[in-house]
Each structure stands twice: as structure tokens, then as C-alpha cells.
Amino acid sequence: MIKDITIGQYIYKDSVVHKLDPRTKILASMFFMFGIFLINNITEYIFVFLLTAITIYLSQIPVMKIIKGLKPIFPLMMLTVIMNMFFTQGAAIFHWAFINITREGIYLAGFMGIRIFFLIIFTSLLTLTTSPITLTNGIEGLLTPLKRFKVPSHEIAMMMSIALRFIPTLIDETDKIMKAQKARGADFESGNIIKRTKSLVPILIPLFISAFTRADELAMAMEARGYRGDEGRTRFKELKYRNIDRIILTIFAFVLVFLIIRKIAF
Amino acid sequence: MKNKNLRIMLYLTILSVISFLLMYIMEVPILSLVGMPGFEFLKYDLSEVIAIVAGFIFGPVAGMIVIALKSILFFFSGKNTTGWVGLAASLIAGLSLVTGTTLLYKIKQSKINLFLGVVIGSISITILMLLFNYFVFLPLYGIEANAFWITGLAVFNILKGLLSGILSVVLYRILKKRVETFLNK
């Protein structure tokens, strides 16, 4: 049941991509997302394909693993392709009853499908090559410059790492509560919407109370160990940009700026 | 206990984990339950309920923190199938619902404001999601926004807002007394 959940999809490999600074990877992934919505011709799609292929090759992640991760988005992708194919105006090349398949429709459908495909692959490469804790450190690093504008970057990172640590504990808790209520005759799986929603109240109430108790205990433990925010706090592993990070970020930034300027200018 | 901020931070952290787990273990495509096929990718989950209750207890900002943390956890978890776009969509939906529902109650704590909040929350999530879908998300997927999509999205968001809102009010009214004993410790 819910005990079988594994959170995260991180696969450990000793590769160049794994060793990149998490900040580089997050930023590159975001630049890639904006970029892929701005490209519009086959040459650029080939470039994107090469970029993705090289990244996968360097990361040493098995290709099958990535394809497996694509399965859940398949329906959405098909939907996009079909919607574009049937509802785009243009020169018809196939006509039957009310169905009109146009040249433009096929092009657009192909592009849109490929776009979603690359978008998902590149995002999942981020979570495949970076462990959640490293990602958290990366987010803290990226938010630190915003401290001037009162963004509590340390607190955010602290909350994230505590949250990650408590996921297994709370899975156990939720499982226990659900079983306990089932033993008392609760039924979560039948009836209409209203009835199903109502049946959830007996799970949520004990969950809330246990959450508060747990947080109280944790607060006490942290205070006893002298936690007082991030003033004067040091870390065991410091994030450091290396030359390769700088090079990658510069290239991604340049390409994105170029694409944006082209979009605005033409 | 001395440090109240630390405790509230931890309450919100644990609540967002629960919110995340609820999203992770049960996502229901409700539109097919009420007889509208074709929208299997719009899934309802209970994660917003936790955030709204947190919003009622600690104020709208707390609810927003829970939503944000939950969305990021979900992004990390590998069950997120829509990448950065899905993250943005769930963030906007959650934030508008939570803020809309809890803002009035923050200004004046009365029973009427709880129920008015539910209505305002549903309206705000519906309007915002329609706008964002029309101008941003659907065009990103190259889908033309026609009447079919608009109705589906509108019905889904109204249902989502009302269900989550009502469930949160019910929960909050049961939990209120118990939670106060925690907060006054």
C-alpha cells in the first residue's frame, strides 16, 4: 500500500552531470524550459535533441529509466498532438466527414509533441541526477541574494530538509491511522463524491493532532540543541561554482537571451 | 516555550509534508466521477485542505507557505509529470484558493466569514485558473482554448474550491479547540 512509496528518483552515478553545482543544474533547467518555448524551426529542434542526448550520455542514467518516467505524460502528449492535428486551419491533405487534417496541423502537432517530450526529459534529468537534499541546498544558494528583500532563504531550506526527513515518518503515521479507522469500519473506497469526502474527516483529524505533537517535540529538541536561525551558522559542505559551472551557465544564458531578443525583434 | 516562531515554522513544515502525502497517495479525476469525460489530467486531491486549515489557524501567509512547500516537494518526488509548467500551475491554483478562502477570516474571525471565504476562494481559483489557462498554459501546449476546455476547467475549479473549502471549514471547526491548547502552551 502507501508504505511502498519511494520519494524521489535520484540515481547515484559518478558522472560529470552529477558533480555539477545544484544551482547550475536548477538554473540550466529553467533556462531550458523558457528556451524550448521560444524555438520554432527544425534546425533548433535538432540542436535541442543533441543537447538532451549529450546530457543523458554524460549523466550515465540508463535511457530506459528516462523512457519509463515518460509513461504517465503519454496521455497528455497524445491529447496535445490530436488537438493540434484536427483543429489547425490550413491546406487540407486529408478529408473525411468532419475531420480535416492539414499540413500545418501535422507540423504543429509534431512540434508540440516533441516540445513536451523534451521539456519533461530535461526536467526529470534534474531530479534524476540531483538528490533532494542537494537540490534543497541549491535552492537556498539561489535564494540567498534575495535575503536583502527579506526572503527567508535559510528558513525555507531548513523547512525543506526537515520536510524531506519527515516524509517516511509521516507515511507510517498516515498508514497507521488509515488502518486503525478501517478496523473501526471506515470505508474510503465506495460511494459518491460527498460520501467519500466525508469519510476522510476521521483520517484528517488524527493526522493534524499528531502533526502538531510531532512539531512540538521537534521544536523542543531543536531549542535544546541551541538552534537559533542562521546567524553564525556554518556548513560542512559549502557549495562552490567551478569553471565548468560558469561555462555552462554562460552558454545557457547567452542562448536564452539570443532567443528572447529574436522573439521580440521579429 | 520561548521561541514561538520556530514552533510555527515546524507546524507548517509537518503540515506541508502531510499535504504532500495526501497529494501523493490519492489524486482523483473528479470530472469523470460527475460524468464529464475527457479531463482525466485534471486531478483532485486533498492537499489544499491542509493548507486552508493552516491558513485559518495561522493566517493566509501560513497557508501560502504550506502550498509552496508542498508543490516543491511534489516536484522533487518524481511523481510530477508535467515539469516546471505543472509546478507553476499547481502553485498558482493553490495560492489563489488558499488566499481567497482565508483572507476574510483573518480580517474578522466570524462564522459567516468562514463560509463567505469558501465562496470567495472558489471564485478566485476559478477566475485565476481560467485566465492562466487561457493565456499561458493551454497555448504552451498548443491547445486552442474553446468552449469545451473552458467549461471543463471552470467546473473542475469550482468543484475543487467548494469541496476543499467545505471540508476545511468542517475540519477547522472540529480542530479549533484542540489546536488552541497547543498554541497556548
Side-chain angles (χ1 to χ4, degrees):
Chain A
M1 236 199 72
I2 63 168
K3 278 210 163 186
D4 305 329
I5 300 176
T6 43
I7 306 290
Q9 34 176 201
Y10 176 59
I11 301 172
Y12 176 75
K13 285 269 156 54
D14 189 24
S15 82
V16 192
V17 183
H18 284 70
K19 278 190 197 136
L20 285 178
D21 190 288
R23 292 171 291 183
T24 312
K25 284 191 265 189
I26 296 172
L27 284 178
S29 163
M30 282 177 133
F31 288 168
F32 184 90
M33 177 198 71
F34 288 119
I36 200 155
F37 287 116
L38 292 171
I39 62 176
N40 53 16
N41 62 52
I42 288 182
T43 333
E44 285 162 5
Y45 273 103
I46 290 171
F47 176 74
V48 167
F49 169 76
L50 286 177
L51 177 69
T52 316
I54 291 171
T55 319
I56 292 174
Y57 174 74
L58 288 177
S59 71
Q60 298 176 17
I61 301 281
V63 179
M64 279 317 288
K65 206 79 189 179
I66 294 169
I67 292 173
K68 239 190 209 162
L70 281 172
K71 229 191 264 164
I73 61 139
F74 197 68
L76 187 66
M77 220 161 94
M78 282 324 289
L79 190 82
T80 310
V81 169
I82 291 169
M83 290 306 279
N84 279 303
M85 202 130 93
F86 291 145
F87 295 104
T88 308
Q89 308 295 323
I93 50 170
F94 177 79
H95 187 79
W96 179 77
F98 60 93
I99 295 173
N100 240 330
I101 295 180
T102 62
R103 189 185 296 271
E104 285 80 357
I106 290 175
Y107 278 137
L108 203 59
F111 277 148
M112 289 298 169
I114 292 169
R115 179 186 280 184
I116 295 176
F117 180 78
F118 281 121
L119 188 63
I120 303 297
I121 287 189
F122 216 78
T123 323
S124 62
L125 267 176
L126 173 68
T127 41
L128 279 166
T129 60
T130 325
S131 71
I133 287 292
T134 322
L135 275 176
T136 308
N137 287 342
I139 290 179
E140 179 174 12
L142 286 176
L143 289 177
T144 309
L146 296 177
K147 241 185 198 164
R148 222 171 290 165
F149 308 106
K150 304 256 176 212
V151 175
S153 63
H154 166 75
E155 278 75 14
I156 293 172
M158 193 53 155
M159 286 173 88
M160 299 257 292
S161 41
I162 292 175
L164 289 169
R165 185 250 168 267
F166 270 89
I167 286 172
T169 320
L170 288 164
I171 288 176
D172 279 353
E173 192 90 32
T174 315
D175 197 38
K176 226 186 271 172
I177 291 169
M178 282 176 97
K179 279 186 182 145
Q181 300 294 26
K182 268 189 192 157
R184 293 180 175 88
D187 173 19
F188 312 121
E189 269 116 32
S190 65
N192 59 17
I193 281 193
I194 313 254
K195 207 176 153 226
R196 273 197 211 194
T197 320
K198 256 189 184 164
S199 71
L200 290 166
V201 174
I203 302 178
L204 294 175
I205 300 277
L207 254 182
F208 255 95
I209 301 296
S210 78
F212 275 78
T213 320
R214 223 168 255 290
D216 257 0
E217 288 167 8
L218 188 58
M220 204 124 53
M222 284 171 80
E223 278 192 339
R225 283 164 177 78
Y227 174 77
R228 47 177 168 57
D230 67 334
E231 293 160 57
R233 208 176 149 87
T234 54
R235 35 175 83 246
F236 178 48
K237 277 185 185 161
E238 301 254 354
L239 291 180
K240 262 199 197 97
Y241 282 120
R242 292 175 303 154
N243 278 338
I244 184 152
D245 293 305
R246 294 194 189 97
I247 295 168
I248 289 177
L249 276 181
T250 321
I251 294 174
F252 269 80
F254 261 116
V255 172
L256 184 64
V257 168
F258 166 74
L259 286 171
I260 292 173
I261 289 174
R262 192 185 62 176
K263 178 86 181 171
I264 294 169
F266 303 104
Chain B
M1 230 180 283
K2 287 178 297 179
N3 197 342
K4 201 161 184 192
N5 280 341
L6 173 63
R7 269 205 301 163
I8 291 179
M9 179 179 124
L10 292 173
Y11 289 147
L12 296 183
T13 309
I14 306 280
L15 287 180
S16 48
V17 176
I18 292 179
S19 167
F20 158 73
L21 285 178
L22 288 175
M23 188 170 179
Y24 198 94
I25 56 179
M26 38 185 159
E27 287 183 298
V28 191
I30 40 170
L31 282 188
S32 43
L33 279 182
V34 295
M36 286 177 76
F39 291 98
E40 275 72 20
F41 66 96
L42 294 176
K43 291 185 197 118
Y44 177 72
D45 60 76
L46 289 168
S47 58
E48 272 98 4
V49 174
I50 307 284
I52 296 174
V53 177
F56 282 146
I57 300 172
F58 303 106
V61 178
M64 286 155 86
I65 292 173
V66 173
I67 289 283
L69 210 52
K70 173 214 77 174
S71 302
I72 299 173
L73 284 176
F74 197 70
F75 180 70
F76 285 179
S77 75
K79 213 189 180 188
N80 173 315
T81 50
T82 41
W84 293 102
V85 181
L87 178 71
S90 90
L91 257 178
I92 293 164
L95 291 180
S96 60
L97 178 60
V98 169
T99 324
T101 315
T102 54
L103 200 58
L104 211 56
Y105 189 71
K106 169 81 179 172
I107 294 164
K108 190 174 175 294
Q109 303 210 339
S110 69
K111 222 187 263 181
I112 309 160
N113 279 354
L114 274 181
F115 291 99
L116 267 181
V118 174
V119 178
I120 296 173
S122 316
I123 295 172
S124 64
I125 187 181
T126 311
I127 292 176
L128 262 168
M129 281 325 275
L130 280 182
L131 285 177
F132 269 94
N133 270 300
Y134 191 86
F135 290 111
V136 186
F137 300 132
L138 288 181
L140 279 188
Y141 289 116
I143 297 172
E144 206 181 318
N146 53 25
F148 174 73
W149 294 105
I150 300 290
T151 354
L153 283 167
V155 173
F156 173 76
N157 283 305
I158 290 174
L159 259 179
K160 178 174 173 168
L162 286 180
L163 271 180
S164 297
I166 293 169
L167 197 59
S168 329
V169 170
V170 171
L171 273 178
Y172 176 65
R173 306 212 354 118
I174 300 173
L175 279 168
K176 204 177 166 200
K177 282 267 150 56
R178 307 278 305 265
V179 168
E180 269 163 14
T181 59
F182 273 102
L183 295 182
N184 296 329
K185 228 191 285 185

